[in-house]
Amino acid sequence: MVTIKDIAREADVSPSTVSRVLSNKKDFFNPATAAKVRKIAKKLGYRKNTLAANLVKKKNNIIVVVISSVETNFSDQIIKGIQSEAQGIGYDIMYMYTHTTNEEEHKHILETLISRQISGILFVSVILEKENITLLDAAKIPYIFVSIKPDNEHMVIGSDDQEIGYLATKYLINLGHKIIGLAGVDAYPYAGFSRIKGYQRALDEFGIEANEKYIFYGDYSYNSGSQAIKYYHENFSSLTGIVAASDSCATGILNYAYDHKIKIPEEYSIITIDGTNLCNITRPRLTSVTQNFRKMGSLGVRKLIKLMEGKVNTKNKSIFVPVKIDVRSSTARLTR
Amino acid sequence: MVTIKDIAREADVSPSTVSRVLSNKKDFFNPATAAKVRKIAKKLGYRKNTLAANLVKKKNNIIVVVISSVETNFSDQIIKGIQSEAQGIGYDIMYMYTHTTNEEEHKHILETLISRQISGILFVSVILEKENITLLDAAKIPYIFVSIKPDNEHMVIGSDDQEIGYLATKYLINLGHKIIGLAGVDAYPYAGFSRIKGYQRALDEFGIEANEKYIFYGDYSYNSGSQAIKYYHENFSSLTGIVAASDSCATGILNYAYDHKIKIPEEYSIITIDGTNLCNITRPRLTSVTQNFRKMGSLGVRKLIKLMEGKVNTKNKSIFVPVKIDVRSSTARLTR
DNA sequence: CTGAAAGCGCTAACAA
DNA sequence: TTGTTAGCGCTTTCAG
């Protein structure tokens, strides 16, 4: 393995000079020497040992994105956002997969990141446990949460979930729907809970009485969706609108409907939350409250870098990326 | 930052002893000292600086998976396979995203991996250019291709594409179809080309004349699918079977059919290649030649580790993971 | 602009 | 079982 010393010997300069040239410390070397050094480096097939450099600099120019399993069909968009921001920022971006919640696994990951002097961490759809947060804070590695947050102390770059629930519900109300289900959300803080609040706020605003029985709890999954519409269909003939907790959930609804010859949007108007590509692939296409996942990713990287440079403090308030409604074909004005 | 020296001082032993204890070199320390050292390490909140350790060991216990953009809806399964194999192998697994082909970007990634002394690399759906292979070989980092390979010299852990084309086509033939389209494949080596060969071999075997006009070239995408069925529908009334190049492609076919009131499987039998979850989500559900992506991932890790341990040579033949046919509802016996 | 010297934090012979 | 010594490959004062 070729080292800086080998080059120094061959170029008849000191290792320090080689180091300066190779790490491009401008104004600290003479162009002629530089040229010579670079030529020899190339000739010898020199590869810098970044490990050694990092050891002395006490930092590793890597940002690690810790991301929860690929289940969620929006993580690809967040990744795209991150990647789009990755050019020329002076850091390499690497990813590690984990489960959304799994204290031991998270701990292991954090320990390897800490011991490798990672520069910064982006948690995407990962809920970090209290102990692990303590661990991370002690190590003084800057980090940011994207999409979901572990508690109310930390900021997150995500969507305003209450707003999402509110907008979705209001959209259906404005189409004339009065009995509206909310399908597949969970009751835990923070996403599910907030969406429920938004849903209730919208009903309230239009003088419609919210009724707990129209909320079908679940886990945002395809199956939650199928089960929800089954529940609605078998129990409430007057229910005509459904807010689906996620695109997968909405797809479950759509397919149950298809399989049971229930017409969408004639019998039920469905509005989904997320607005991933799935919405264009289903038939009918799904009307959605669309989150800007790409933006979350790019913003996450930008904020993290600011944090690493000490230009911003963690205690900052959460950043909400605007959502929008994309009208497609799964919703219709109520005619009955 | 607490170092091994601090612990040594406090424990009144030498740094080497601390090192031995902390890196668990059994039989090289006495349990009593070990206990003392560990206690102090804990008390001081010691975190090992892996960078320093790696510098002297000249290796970084990280396997990096270089994976092409998240577009492909099967990469999540490969990742799951990789992750399932990741426990207790003594390496951490990190991922980097890149485009399938992009020489400059690949070069940059390789350089950072080499300079960081990464232990091994898994390329998933990435085509490495000749120059970059040279670069990598010079650095002597073991690597393996999963899903696709860059040339014929290198092994790949993937599916037998010719077999896939053959099985898919034969399945339709056995249902009575005679005029069969192949939709959305590309003509490049190696996947597309091999699938075409398999397709032709099946036709041949049953005495059906292969005709180039029934192959609709594309890029495995949703759009390729829509365009393909449009092409078939407008030009060949006798064509009744379609082999779709991918699940996305098949979904494009299905949706075009739906939008144009073409009945599947009554008017066309569709068999798709991949067999991802998408096949269960579409209506009708897609019959598929299913690849075992999960297995590719786990096998990839296993093989790579063997390679890193010098137990196997790269020049090994490709490993084909068996495929199977999953019959769902997009295919039917030809009755006309 | 360049060199000498020191050291980042750890491990690995070698001796004891 | 433990300590001593040297050094991984690089960067960085400090002098010159």
Side-chain angles (χ1 to χ4, degrees):
Chain A
M1 186 170 208
V2 187
T3 75
I4 222 175
K5 275 188 187 168
D6 301 320
I7 299 173
R9 199 177 316 116
E10 185 121 347
D12 205 33
V13 294
S14 75
S16 340
T17 301
V18 177
S19 169
R20 286 187 197 102
V21 170
L22 264 24
S23 33
N24 220 351
K25 297 252 175 299
K26 298 180 219 275
D27 304 343
F28 284 103
F29 53 78
N30 148 334
T33 348
K36 183 169 61 173
V37 166
R38 283 197 246 269
K39 200 177 122 207
I40 295 180
K42 185 151 203 176
K43 190 185 90 186
L44 264 38
Y46 170 78
R47 300 268 146 221
K48 173 170 179 162
N49 183 333
T50 307
L51 251 37
N54 290 340
L55 176 59
V56 13
K57 295 207 271 204
K58 289 167 180 299
K59 67 166 194 161
N60 184 329
N61 272 33
I62 295 184
I63 289 176
V64 170
V65 179
V66 178
I67 185 166
S68 85
S69 59
V70 227
E71 308 279 0
T72 57
N73 57 333
F74 56 76
S75 62
D76 60 335
Q77 292 184 57
I78 296 184
I79 292 176
K80 274 186 194 152
I82 292 172
Q83 291 293 107
S84 74
E85 203 65 28
Q87 306 298 335
I89 54 171
Y91 295 90
D92 285 310
I93 297 190
M94 305 190 64
Y95 297 76
M96 290 187 81
Y97 283 95
T98 181
H99 299 89
T100 304
T101 56
N102 182 334
E103 183 151 0
E104 273 316 300
E105 197 179 90
H106 293 174
K107 186 172 174 206
H108 173 81
I109 289 179
L110 291 189
E111 279 174 343
T112 109
L113 297 186
I114 292 169
S115 78
R116 289 199 164 83
Q117 322 274 99
I118 292 300
S119 300
I121 307 177
L122 221 50
F123 292 99
V124 175
S125 302
V126 167
I127 296 177
L128 211 56
E129 302 76 11
K130 221 179 183 81
E131 293 229 357
N132 285 329
I133 290 181
T134 310
L135 178 65
L136 197 51
D137 285 337
K140 299 212 192 341
I141 300 184
Y143 60 97
I144 277 188
F145 294 99
V146 174
S147 163
I148 53 179
K149 61 181 177 176
D151 54 41
N152 272 323
E153 268 94 79
H154 289 81
M155 66 171 293
V156 64
I157 296 176
S159 299
D160 182 339
D161 283 300
Q162 195 180 132
E163 176 80 1
I164 288 178
Y166 173 78
L167 286 178
T169 311
K170 187 168 146 183
Y171 182 78
L172 292 180
I173 295 173
N174 281 335
L175 284 177
H177 299 274
K178 297 224 159 16
I179 312 292
I180 296 172
L182 177 56
V185 292
D186 59 27
Y188 305 108
Y190 296 84
F193 187 70
S194 302
R195 290 179 187 179
I196 293 173
K197 282 192 106 171
Y199 159 82
Q200 289 165 337
R201 204 179 88 217
L203 294 176
D204 220 55
E205 196 176 301
F206 288 85
I208 301 171
E209 200 186 347
N211 193 325
E212 182 71 19
K213 71 185 175 194
Y214 297 135
I215 301 180
F216 186 89
Y217 290 94
D219 59 359
Y220 301 89
S221 68
Y222 181 92
N223 283 336
S224 290
S226 329
Q227 287 160 18
I229 186 172
K230 180 167 193 289
Y231 166 75
Y232 293 139
H233 196 243
E234 290 174 355
N235 296 288
F236 312 109
S237 60
S238 56
L239 187 150
T240 58
I242 303 176
V243 176
S246 75
D247 293 345
S248 289
C249 174
T251 307
I253 293 176
L254 242 37
N255 279 348
Y256 182 93
Y258 179 94
D259 295 342
H260 293 78
K261 309 235 182 300
I262 299 169
K263 290 224 165 80
I264 309 290
E266 291 81 355
E267 298 182 53
Y268 294 97
S269 272
I270 317 288
I271 185 167
T272 182
I273 295 172
D274 280 353
T276 64
N277 194 236
L278 202 48
C279 297
N280 285 309
I281 281 181
T282 57
R283 289 297 179 269
R285 290 177 173 85
L286 286 161
T287 293
S288 65
V289 179
T290 303
Q291 301 195 59
N292 195 340
F293 295 109
R294 231 192 125 104
K295 183 111 190 187
M296 290 180 205
S298 58
L299 222 54
V301 173
R302 279 217 286 277
K303 283 287 162 195
L304 179 60
I305 289 178
K306 280 207 180 136
L307 198 61
M308 296 188 301
E309 292 171 345
K311 286 188 190 154
V312 89
N313 56 341
T314 332
K315 290 286 169 197
N316 235 313
K317 281 214 282 289
S318 289
I319 297 178
F320 289 144
V321 175
V323 299
K324 67 178 201 290
I325 290 188
D326 283 313
V327 178
R328 298 195 186 84
S329 335
S330 63
T331 45
R333 177 158 296 283
L334 186 66
T335 50
R336 341 179 194 162
Chain B
M1 188 171 205
V2 187
T3 75
I4 222 175
K5 275 188 186 168
D6 301 320
I7 299 174
R9 197 177 318 116
E10 184 122 348
D12 205 35
V13 295
S14 76
S16 341
T17 300
V18 177
S19 168
R20 285 191 278 256
V21 171
L22 265 23
S23 30
N24 220 352
K25 297 252 175 298
K26 299 181 219 276
D27 305 343
F28 285 102
F29 52 78
N30 132 350
T33 358
K36 183 169 60 172
V37 166
R38 282 197 247 268
K39 199 176 123 209
I40 296 180
K42 187 153 201 173
K43 190 185 88 186
L44 264 38
Y46 171 78
R47 300 268 145 220
K48 174 171 180 161
N49 183 333
T50 307
L51 251 35
N54 290 339
L55 176 59
V56 13
K57 294 208 271 206
K58 288 165 181 300
K59 69 166 192 161
N60 184 329
N61 270 36
I62 295 184
I63 289 175
V64 170
V65 179
V66 178
I67 186 166
S68 84
S69 58
V70 227
E71 308 280 359
T72 55
N73 57 334
F74 56 76
S75 62
D76 59 336
Q77 292 184 55
I78 296 183
I79 292 176
K80 274 187 195 151
I82 292 172
Q83 290 293 108
S84 75
E85 202 65 28
Q87 306 298 337
I89 52 170
Y91 295 90
D92 286 311
I93 297 191
M94 304 189 65
Y95 296 77
M96 290 187 82
Y97 284 96
T98 181
H99 299 88
T100 304
T101 55
N102 182 335
E103 182 152 2
E104 273 315 299
E105 196 180 271
H106 292 173
K107 188 175 173 202
H108 174 82
I109 289 178
L110 292 188
E111 280 173 343
T112 109
L113 297 185
I114 292 170
S115 78
R116 289 198 163 84
Q117 324 273 100
I118 292 302
S119 299
I121 308 177
L122 221 50
F123 291 99
V124 175
S125 302
V126 167
I127 297 177
L128 211 55
E129 303 76 11
K130 219 179 184 84
E131 293 228 356
N132 284 329
I133 289 181
T134 310
L135 179 65
L136 198 52
D137 286 339
K140 301 214 190 341
I141 300 184
Y143 59 96
I144 276 188
F145 294 98
V146 174
S147 163
I148 52 179
K149 61 180 176 175
D151 54 42
N152 271 322
E153 268 94 77
H154 290 81
M155 66 172 292
V156 65
I157 296 175
S159 300
D160 182 339
D161 284 300
Q162 194 179 133
E163 177 80 0
I164 288 178
Y166 174 79
L167 287 177
T169 310
K170 186 167 146 184
Y171 182 78
L172 293 180
I173 294 173
N174 281 336
L175 284 178
H177 298 274
K178 296 224 156 26
I179 312 292
I180 296 171
L182 177 57
V185 292
D186 59 27
Y188 306 108
Y190 296 84
F193 187 71
S194 302
R195 290 178 188 180
I196 293 173
K197 280 192 106 170
Y199 159 82
Q200 289 165 338
R201 203 179 88 216
L203 294 176
D204 220 55
E205 194 175 304
F206 287 85
I208 301 171
E209 200 185 348
N211 193 327
E212 182 69 20
K213 72 186 175 194
Y214 297 135
I215 301 180
F216 186 89
Y217 291 94
D219 59 359
Y220 302 89
S221 69
Y222 181 93
N223 282 335
S224 289
S226 328
Q227 287 160 19
I229 186 174
K230 180 168 193 288
Y231 166 75
Y232 293 139
H233 196 244
E234 290 174 355
N235 295 288
F236 313 110
S237 61
S238 55
L239 186 149
T240 58
I242 303 177
V243 176
S246 76
D247 294 345
S248 289
C249 174
T251 307
I253 293 177
L254 242 39
N255 279 348
Y256 182 93
Y258 180 94
D259 295 343
H260 293 79
K261 310 235 181 299
I262 299 169
K263 291 225 166 78
I264 309 290
E266 291 80 356
E267 298 182 53
Y268 294 97
S269 273
I270 316 290
I271 184 166
T272 182
I273 295 172
D274 280 353
T276 65
N277 194 237
L278 203 47
C279 297
N280 285 310
I281 281 182
T282 57
R283 290 295 180 274
R285 290 178 174 84
L286 285 161
T287 294
S288 65
V289 179
T290 303
Q291 301 194 59
N292 196 340
F293 295 109
R294 231 191 125 104
K295 183 111 192 188
M296 290 181 205
S298 58
L299 222 54
V301 174
R302 279 217 286 277
K303 283 286 162 194
L304 179 60
I305 288 178
K306 280 207 178 133
L307 197 61
M308 296 188 303
E309 291 170 347
K311 287 188 191 153
V312 89
N313 56 340
T314 332
K315 290 287 169 196
N316 235 312
K317 280 212 283 288
S318 289
I319 297 177
F320 289 142
V321 175
V323 298
K324 67 177 202 288
I325 289 188
D326 283 313
V327 178
R328 299 195 187 83
S329 336
S330 64
T331 44
R333 177 159 295 284
L334 185 65
T335 50
R336 341 176 194 165

